[in-house]
Amino acid sequence: MQSHHHPKSLLRFRSLGIDTKQELVVFMPKSCYVCQSEGFQALTRLNVGLNNCNIIATLNTTENGLLNDGEISLSISAIKKLGVKDGDFLWVDHLDPLESMTYVRSKLFGNALNQEALSAIISDVAEEKYSNIYLSSFVSACSGDNMNPEEICYLTKAMIETGNKLSWDERIIADKHCVGGIPGNRTSMIVVPIIASLGITIPKTSSRAITSPAGTADTMGVITNVNLSMQEMQKVVKKEKGCIVWGAAVKLSPADDIIIKIEKALDIDSEGQMVASILSKKVAAGSTHCVIDIPVGTTAKVRSTENALILAAQMEKVAKYIGLKINIIFTDGSQPVGFGIGPALEARDVLSVLRNEDKSSKELRSRALKISAAIIHLVKNESEESAYRIAEKQLSSEAAYQKLLAICEAQGGFNEPKTAKYIKIVEVQTDGIIKEIDNRKIARVAKLAGAPDVSVAGVDFFVQLNQKVEKGQPLFSIHANSPGELEYAYDYYKRGNHQIIHLNDE
């Protein structure tokens, strides 16, 4: 790799301590002879290498002597990735033009893509050859309903091909996924222990929050370690039949993780991308049988029964194309599940259900049982009634709770959830009946309070739909670790409280 690099294009590395999150950035002085001679400009994508290792990074140029001529620097994420230290000599080189961008342009003009085109794009995305500008054009080109059913099949297959694939000893590997959009819907942490306690293998890889105040991995991360390598994950599953870990740490579908970050930045969810994302991760995790829960509600991700049926049909088609057995169930998505919204508060709700406490959320309990029963029905061919009874027995006998503790121990130990430093109780303004709860806006209050980055932050709900409430009664509380974030979240609620929680006056 080294031979064609002219010795004069070696530059001395010096760290500037600049954090650019996941984006890999290389810094060079604008006056640098390499920039001048190679015609590099800011935002050019470059190969940057140390001996025979290289990464692809975006160029930012410096002025005012921040770096001297002959010096080069990298963002913190790039330093980690290349493993460089001050004084190392790095080489830089042009990137070959990206052939796969021609397919992206074709898609932008409304043409359908075949398997070869989507495989080429996804492979380049996974190798981090796409700058954010390229990525956003690809994500936008595939957004909304711009992808036909075949393209979604091709995209899913391409995503499976680019990452690691887990393989297990058992013939049947169960899994579940919830399409999301409802706060507090933490069923996985109850379903996995129920299923694993029956001796059915269920290795669960979960995502961190994409646009929500908490993902399963964030919530599980409150009570145990979720950053497991593939070997560690396999050890846990061998011992306990199940696990709940962060998927990105296992690098199952690297292209998907990159695309999700872009979707998050653009704040768009595309149906085709969503189907490909969900099903590719399942197959990559080695699943053979998967239950998919689609919550339906005006402020959930899927807004109407009609949309839910279209999505289910797409999923059935793709699952068949990639050889996955699925069972789709529809659930009510009209209000938050459980009481807490935010990692620690949701972890508290989950433990409360598993411990069979009186004050635990009935809604969270019944959803988890419904999904568990659907898995037992799919895997064991039990009738739906008998499957439900089996699941309920594991939960009420606390076999599931013991199993969750055992899984936590195997993943690195169990911790009780902590509470936030600042809590503000928001009261009901007038007597009435709660007619509507805007899931998206309530999720936003929790995010402004600091969730999911601050695990104890979020919103704790005291009421439910159709409940009669009186003026002055506690409606929900906001939890934050700084007074600023608490006020910030409360101000947002105050500005739009009528749209967020809709009361019908008596």
Side-chain angles (χ1 to χ4, degrees), residues 283-324:
V283 172
S287 313
T288 57
H289 294 64
C290 183
V291 166
I292 294 179
D293 167 22
I294 303 183
V296 184
T298 44
T299 58
K301 230 177 223 177
V302 179
R303 317 260 176 117
S304 66
T305 312
E306 187 190 4
N307 288 6
L309 291 169
I310 294 170
L311 182 63
Q314 279 183 336
M315 288 195 156
E316 299 276 3
K317 186 178 171 112
V318 176
K320 207 167 162 176
Y321 184 70
I322 57 176
L324 179 68

Side-chain angles (χ1 to χ4, degrees), residues 167-220:
S167 55
W168 308 95
D169 301 338
E170 279 80 9
R171 200 174 49 81
I172 290 178
I173 301 295
D175 209 339
K176 57 106 13 203
H177 183 85
C178 171
V179 168
I182 340 185
N185 198 9
R186 282 289 82 79
T187 51
S188 295
M189 289 169 65
I190 303 168
V191 172
V192 169
I194 289 177
I195 298 300
S197 69
L198 292 166
I200 299 165
T201 303
I202 180 160
K204 180 89 181 83
T205 59
S206 305
S207 55
R208 295 201 184 273
I210 300 172
T211 49
S212 65
T216 297
D218 301 293
T219 307
M220 186 72 174

Side-chain angles (χ1 to χ4, degrees), residues 256-277:
D256 184 45
D257 296 321
I258 294 168
I259 287 170
I260 282 174
K261 281 179 198 130
I262 297 291
E263 288 184 321
K264 187 174 173 176
L266 295 172
D267 204 7
I268 55 175
D269 270 319
S270 133
E271 218 146 84
Q273 298 269 17
M274 177 165 79
V275 171
S277 170

Side-chain angles (χ1 to χ4, degrees), residues 99-100 103 114-125 130 158:
E99 301 288 328
S100 66
Y103 299 129
N114 62 13
Q115 182 70 70
E116 183 195 3
L118 280 158
S119 294
I121 293 170
I122 292 300
S123 150
D124 283 345
V125 168
Y130 273 39

